[in-house]
Every structure is written in structure tokens, then in C-alpha cells.
């Protein structure tokens, strides 16, 4: 029950932090193409899309600012919420 409450809390915030390196994917699933790899501590912002709950840890659509060759680029993609935390 405690883990369900923790997950519910995580699903109700608008931003979370990446724990470790995390693939930002083109769709919700491990077989989807990788757009880029996010770094530990990156902040992701959830889009208005609901979580995809076919998995133990829902996939969430997010936007994130990443530095690509010195240029900050805003990307949208999907991440597994298992690798996010709310500091």
C-alpha cells in the first residue's frame, strides 16, 4: 500500500528528476527508438498526456531541455517513471 501511495504521489506532480542515465524514447516502451539519453539530475516536465499504465511503472510523456553541442534544445519523448524521483 505504501508503494502505491508513493507511485500515486509521483503521478500527480508536474516535474520530476532523472535518477541515473535514462533513455528518452519516441514512444512508451523499451522497443521504441531512443531520442537521447538523459543524465542524472535532469528535470523532466510531464505533458498533459495521461500515463501509459500497461506496465508496473507507467511510461510518461515528458519535455526536457538538453544541451546538444552547446545548444539548449527542448525535446518531447517518453520515459519510464521507475527512473524518476521527486526531490
Amino acid at each position: 500500500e505504501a508503494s502505491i501511495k508513493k507511485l500515486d504521489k509521483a503521478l500527480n506532480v508536474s516535474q520530476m528528476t532523472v535518477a541515473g542515465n535514462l533513455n528518452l524514447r519516441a514512444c512508451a516502451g523499451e522497443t521504441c527508438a531512443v531520442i537521447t539519453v538523459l543524465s542524472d539530475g535532469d528535470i523532466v516536465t510531464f505533458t498533459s498526456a495521461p500515463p501509459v499504465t500497461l506496465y508496473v511503472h507507467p511510461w510518461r510523456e515528458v519535455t526536457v531541455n538538453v544541451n546538444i553541442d552547446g545548444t539548449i534544445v527542448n525535446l518531447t519523448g517518453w520515459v519510464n517513471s521507475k527512473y524518476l524521483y521527486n526531490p
Side-chain angles (χ1 to χ4, degrees):
E1 184 176 317
S3 63
I4 291 172
K5 287 181 182 178
K6 183 177 177 183
L7 182 58
D8 284 345
K9 180 180 176 186
L11 294 176
N12 290 321
V13 298
S14 63
Q15 291 185 317
M16 292 189 81
T17 303
V18 173
N21 293 329
L22 179 61
N23 291 327
L24 180 69
R25 295 187 178 270
C27 59
E30 292 180 0
T31 59
C32 298
V34 175
I35 297 169
T36 192
V37 178
L38 305 178
S39 299
D40 185 55
D42 283 349
I43 304 294
V44 297
T45 301
F46 298 130
T47 66
S48 58
V52 176
T53 57
L54 302 175
Y55 306 94
V56 173
H57 296 282
W59 286 80
R60 297 293 307 262
E61 187 178 36
V62 299
T63 59
V64 60
N65 290 327
V66 295
N67 186 329
I68 299 176
D69 298 326
T71 302
I72 302 299
V73 178
N74 185 269
L75 298 175
T76 300
W78 291 82
V79 296
N80 187 317
S81 64
K82 175 180 180 179
Y83 303 102
L84 302 175
Y85 68 95
N86 192 4

